[in-house]
Amino acid sequence: MSEHRVPFFTTGVKVLCVLALAGIAGLVARFVFGLGAVTNLDDQYGWGLWIGIDVACGVALAAGGFTTAFIAHVMHRDHFHSVVRPALLTAMLGYTFVAFAVFVDLGRYYNIWHVMLPEMWQGNSALFEVGICVMSYLTVLYIEFLPIVTERFMGRVNLPGFWARLNGGIEAVLRFLDRTLNRVMTFFIIAGVVLSCAHQSSLGTLMVIAPTKLHPLWHTTILPLQFLLSAFAVGLAMAIFESILASRSLKHPLEMKVLSPLGRMIPFLLTVYLGTKFIDMVTRGSYVHLLEGSLQSYSWMAEVLLGILIPGAIFMAHRLRRKPAWLFAGSALVVLGVVLNRVNVFIIGYKPVYGDGPYVPAWPEVVITIGMIAMIVLLYRLFVFIFPNITAEGAPHHA
Amino acid sequence: MASRRDFLRHAGFLTGTAVAATTGVKKAAAAHGPHIDDDRMGVLCDFTLCIGCRSCEYACSEAHDLPHGDFTDYSAEDAVLESYRRPTPDDLTVINRFSPAKGHDEPFHAKYNCLHCDHPVCVSACIVGALEKNARGPVTYDAWKCIGCRYCIQACPFQIPTYEYDDALTPKVVKCDLCQDRTLEGGIPACVDICPQETMVFGRRSDLIKLAHERITVHPERYVDHVYGEHEVGGTSWLYLADRSFQDLTLPEVPDESPAVTTERIQHGIFRGFSGPLMVFALVSVIMKSAGRNPEETQEDDHE
């Protein structure tokens, strides 16, 4: 395991703790006083920051889980294994918080289980598809994570004192899991890819239902395809982004031999994504809205320029791709671009029939969103400390 | 529909949930919209007859056990009409005032409430089927099923559903229910019942469309030649007549086809018989079997 010990608490971690605590305070207020008290949502803007950022961006940025699994396990590109586990952890934590954010946003959160009741299934609803797939995929992610747990603790279960009597039982369970998981993991890896493709795209179908309310720069029937393609690209970008961040924070060496080739795949994915955007734009003639000088037109341009063209160029340049700073900048821009796209589709581009001005989140909404992001980062760190075998540095050598 | 049933069945298989209960499957027909009776009911609302007395607002609140003042207050409080209003959880229908028609002195009024679409976008969007289209006309809401996702608010082309944001525990989606307690029992809606001007006519939707066009034919000087709701998003139970463009009365311009047709086509196209996901599963499996190991690729980047 790690030779050099990094302390869990650093200044940054303490700041994150404060932000997380503020978020928890906000959450308490939301559940005690209701959505009206802590949000700027109304009968025009039914969805705000939590759906736009926490849910839509959360799902997109957690795409690294299935994209890296596809490359490493399905394509058998074995040397990419070292990014699979960190990406899996991000996906697991990301989706857990997506589910939690939905719970927070729901007016009748205690009814969330209704989505699982066959008699209430509503196959016409894209949201139903998203809901059922996210629930299933979350389960798959937990199963995919189990080998990390068995690997970490098998043969090391040593509870002290009173609990010691459980050691044998836990050990047996871990060994059983380890044996069983080995046999069924292929199924779950493929199921994870399928479920991801299904709900990443259905998330894009959500706003297709409002052709008169979503700005024409984004409203298209191929929005689900665009959401899926951008999820592929941002999945890999997130894997690079978080790997560099984690390496710096945990003082591990950068894995450039894995990250550079990963970055090389991104321009291809971005080109396909951009291609659908341009072909769609020309087909629908929506380019006329580019010069209308509205917030929406600028936001579209920022999304394409900052999030697709510039990072695409960075990743295409062989020289830049090998430099950690450029690799980091490129991946950060792809992440920014996809975040901007989701915000555009769900918030900036959404114009309700009688909306009087843009929706701007209330400050408690912001505090809660930032708090939840802080919690994800803290949990990521906590997991890496408990399970050093997540990172390549702490992992036993893969067969 | 078979496709829907198949989707449910396979989704059940995937989530490991028992699938015996596929009740409620009949209630929605894919792509064609929900089942509706040919003689379903509707309301023809002739804005040119409305005098803005707001009796309908009073009757509505009273019929739905919502807070309301005295009946006389409604017609007396003229100031209310000076600002533009939208329905709220406490006012399922509202009247708004507009400038008089050319050559008239009296202001013009329009009434706003749920139009009860034939192929309702909110019903198609609803994640748990809390919103349903009754074959007789009303779009109804079941708060017990509702999870409070508010996708209906995002989806509705008329921006009608309102939400009890201030209720921390049991917030409801609130909108006109076409007085389903009365109308499904043979009665007429409270607003129609009370109107002193007979602005509204309640009846069979097909008859009302004929009536609306007759009025336009007889009094072409009185109406624009447009029955709002006849074709809007596939047709609505409420039908409006006016002397001016409906956009001037803040009613949105919407396509003739329900947007739900497109999204249902996408959903059922991808998930028909669960074929899409199964194909992806098969494809990924084949790739997994056939893709060779290529350990050298790492070096490639460095050699370029």
Side-chain angles (χ1 to χ4, degrees):
Chain A
M1 298 295 143
S2 310
E3 291 141 32
H4 40 74
R5 271 214 63 88
V6 176
F8 184 82
F9 283 101
T10 61
T11 314
V13 173
K14 285 172 192 159
V15 171
L16 286 173
C17 287
V18 172
L19 293 174
L21 285 173
I24 290 169
L27 286 169
V28 171
R30 177 260 171 269
F31 284 106
V32 173
F33 302 110
L35 289 169
V38 296
T39 70
N40 273 349
L41 300 175
D42 56 30
D43 296 336
Q44 301 298 318
Y45 301 89
W47 288 352
L49 190 70
W50 297 340
I51 298 295
I53 297 278
D54 305 28
V55 177
C57 295
V59 167
L61 301 191
F66 84 97
T67 48
T68 57
F70 184 85
I71 292 169
H73 296 307
V74 178
M75 302 294 292
H76 303 297
R77 297 294 183 261
D78 290 344
H79 50 277
F80 287 111
H81 270 275
S82 61
V83 291
V84 170
R85 284 184 165 186
L88 173 63
L89 176 61
T90 311
M92 187 178 81
L93 294 175
Y95 273 95
T96 303
F97 274 79
V98 164
F100 183 58
V102 169
F103 182 81
V104 172
D105 188 78
L106 291 180
R108 293 178 170 236
Y109 45 86
Y110 42 82
N111 280 349
I112 194 168
W113 57 280
H114 283 181
V115 179
M116 288 187 277
L117 283 181
E119 74 240 40
M120 291 197 203
W121 283 353
Q122 220 287 72
N124 289 334
S125 170
L127 189 61
F128 166 74
E129 212 276 309
V130 172
I132 208 88
C133 274
V134 167
M135 283 186 194
S136 312
Y137 184 47
L138 194 51
T139 313
V140 168
L141 283 170
Y142 290 148
I143 293 169
E144 285 184 352
F145 192 80
L146 278 176
I148 297 174
V149 180
T150 57
E151 182 187 293
R152 168 76 176 81
F153 289 116
M154 229 165 38
R156 296 200 193 88
V157 181
N158 190 16
L159 295 170
F162 172 81
W163 303 103
R165 68 192 69 187
L166 296 175
N167 284 347
I170 294 172
E171 185 70 43
V173 169
L174 289 177
R175 291 205 177 277
F176 170 77
L177 277 177
D178 186 55
R179 271 201 317 275
T180 323
L181 288 170
N182 259 334
R183 273 183 236 136
V184 296
M185 199 45 85
T186 305
F187 170 81
F188 285 107
I189 287 166
I190 302 175
V193 173
V194 177
L195 287 167
S196 292
C197 289
H199 73 259
Q200 291 282 359
S201 56
S202 287
L203 205 60
T205 313
L206 287 182
M207 293 310 291
V208 175
I209 207 161
T212 52
K213 292 154 74 171
L214 180 58
H215 195 282
L217 282 173
W218 293 281
H219 187 275
T220 161
T221 45
I222 64 160
L223 203 52
L225 179 67
Q226 294 177 340
F227 265 50
L228 182 62
L229 293 172
S230 53
F232 290 155
V234 83
L236 300 187
M238 266 305 277
I240 297 173
F241 181 76
E242 68 180 66
S243 177
I244 296 177
L245 269 186
S247 295
R248 281 285 142 87
S249 172
L250 300 166
K251 307 212 182 333
H252 291 166
L254 283 171
E255 298 188 67
M256 294 304 289
K257 288 206 163 167
V258 177
L259 302 185
S260 293
L262 212 52
R264 207 177 58 175
M265 301 175 191
I266 292 178
F268 170 72
L269 296 169
L270 285 180
T271 306
V272 179
Y273 171 46
L274 188 64
T276 66
K277 269 180 114 73
F278 274 123
I279 292 168
D280 173 65
M281 175 168 258
V282 172
T283 313
R284 291 186 302 111
S286 62
Y287 46 79
V288 296
H289 298 280
L290 279 179
L291 295 175
E292 67 187 18
S294 60
L295 170 65
Q296 285 79 13
S297 63
Y298 292 125
S299 204
W300 191 93
M301 286 186 244
E303 178 193 322
V304 171
L305 188 67
L306 295 177
I308 303 177
L309 295 175
I310 295 178
I314 291 175
F315 284 122
M316 264 197 280
H318 174 61
R319 203 182 285 272
L320 298 183
R321 201 163 62 224
R322 291 165 68 188
K323 297 199 172 98
W326 283 103
L327 208 52
F328 185 74
S331 58
L333 283 174
V334 174
V335 170
L336 175 79
V338 172
V339 165
L340 200 49
N341 172 259
R342 300 309 192 256
V343 169
N344 281 337
V345 168
F346 285 97
I347 301 174
I348 295 177
Y350 173 73
K351 294 205 279 193
V353 187
Y354 305 99
D356 44 0
Y359 150 89
V360 178
W363 66 264
E365 288 180 88
V366 180
V367 168
I368 289 172
T369 291
I370 291 175
M372 291 217 263
I373 295 168
M375 286 179 222
I376 296 177
V377 179
L378 285 172
L379 280 174
Y380 187 104
R381 195 176 173 86
L382 187 66
F383 269 79
V384 172
F385 271 74
I386 296 174
F387 300 99
N389 52 334
I390 286 171
T391 58
E393 195 72 351
H397 286 291
H398 282 281
Chain B
M1 298 303 282
S3 63
R4 186 181 146 85
R5 200 165 296 144
D6 283 351
F7 167 59
L8 293 176
R9 187 180 305 137
H10 292 292
F13 160 74
L14 202 74
T15 50
T17 320
V19 204
T22 38
T23 51
V25 163
K26 306 176 281 308
K27 73 190 171 201
H32 310 295
H35 168 73
I36 40 177
D37 294 346
D38 286 340
D39 63 347
R40 64 190 175 281
M41 52 202 172
V43 179
L44 173 62
C45 187
D46 188 339
F47 291 154
T48 66
L49 298 174
C50 179
I51 54 168
C53 69
R54 298 175 61 225
S55 303
C56 51
E57 293 184 17
Y58 168 83
C60 176
S61 291
E62 199 208 16
H64 292 92
D65 293 322
L66 295 168
H68 58 89
D70 287 337
F71 176 66
T72 46
D73 295 346
Y74 276 80
S75 41
E77 278 175 40
D78 211 43
V80 174
L81 289 170
E82 275 162 26
S83 50
Y84 181 84
R85 295 178 302 152
R86 295 294 307 161
T88 71
D90 285 343
D91 306 281
L92 311 190
T93 187
V94 293
I95 298 290
N96 279 310
R97 174 170 287 176
F98 295 90
S99 57
K102 265 185 224 134
H104 290 261
D105 299 329
E106 296 300 315
F108 194 83
H109 299 90
K111 183 177 187 285
Y112 303 82
N113 49 255
C114 176
L115 283 89
H116 300 273
C117 307
D118 282 345
H119 189 177
V121 174
C122 60
V123 170
S124 180
C126 185
I127 185 168
V128 288
L131 288 157
E132 281 185 288
K133 175 70 173 175
N134 186 295
R136 303 283 304 124
V139 174
T140 61
Y141 169 70
D142 183 349
W144 188 83
K145 284 185 182 175
C146 181
I147 66 171
C149 69
R150 308 184 301 284
Y151 190 19
C152 47
I153 292 174
Q154 295 298 102
C156 176
F158 302 107
Q159 207 70 46
I160 284 297
T162 66
Y163 199 69
E164 295 178 329
Y165 286 102
D166 292 327
D167 188 332
L169 224 49
T170 55
K172 292 191 297 289
V173 170
V174 190
K175 66 171 198 69
C176 161
D177 64 347
L178 204 60
C179 283
Q180 56 168 323
D181 291 347
R182 295 158 171 246
T183 51
L184 294 176
E185 304 295 323
I188 68 173
C191 57
V192 179
D193 199 12
I194 202 170
C195 180
Q197 289 295 102
E198 295 187 15
T199 299
M200 290 162 277
V201 185
F202 175 75
R204 202 178 292 155
R205 183 176 181 271
S206 50
D207 294 343
L208 296 176
I209 289 171
K210 279 189 210 125
L211 177 63
H213 284 290
E214 271 168 35
R215 287 195 191 178
I216 294 171
T217 312
V218 176
H219 292 291
E221 76 293 347
R222 194 181 171 105
Y223 302 105
V224 288
D225 188 11
H226 182 182
V227 181
Y228 192 90
E230 182 181 2
H231 301 297
E232 272 70 14
V233 291
T236 64
S237 294
W238 277 72
L239 304 161
Y240 295 145
L241 282 176
D243 68 349
R244 63 194 78 186
S245 146
F246 289 96
Q247 278 75 69
D248 291 346
L249 300 171
T250 73
L251 284 161
E253 197 173 355
V254 292
D256 279 353
E257 185 185 70
S258 171
V261 172
T262 306
T263 50
E264 285 172 20
R265 206 172 277 153
I266 293 173
Q267 284 306 101
H268 294 280
I270 296 174
F271 297 101
R272 177 176 293 272
F274 221 59
S275 56
L278 284 175
M279 269 160 55
V280 177
F281 198 101
L283 185 71
V284 174
S285 307
V286 168
I287 294 172
M288 198 165 182
K289 278 267 182 229
S290 58
R293 284 166 199 276
N294 182 7
E296 270 94 276
E297 203 185 273
T298 333
Q299 315 302 330
E300 222 174 293
D301 203 58
D302 298 356
H303 291 317
E304 268 175 32

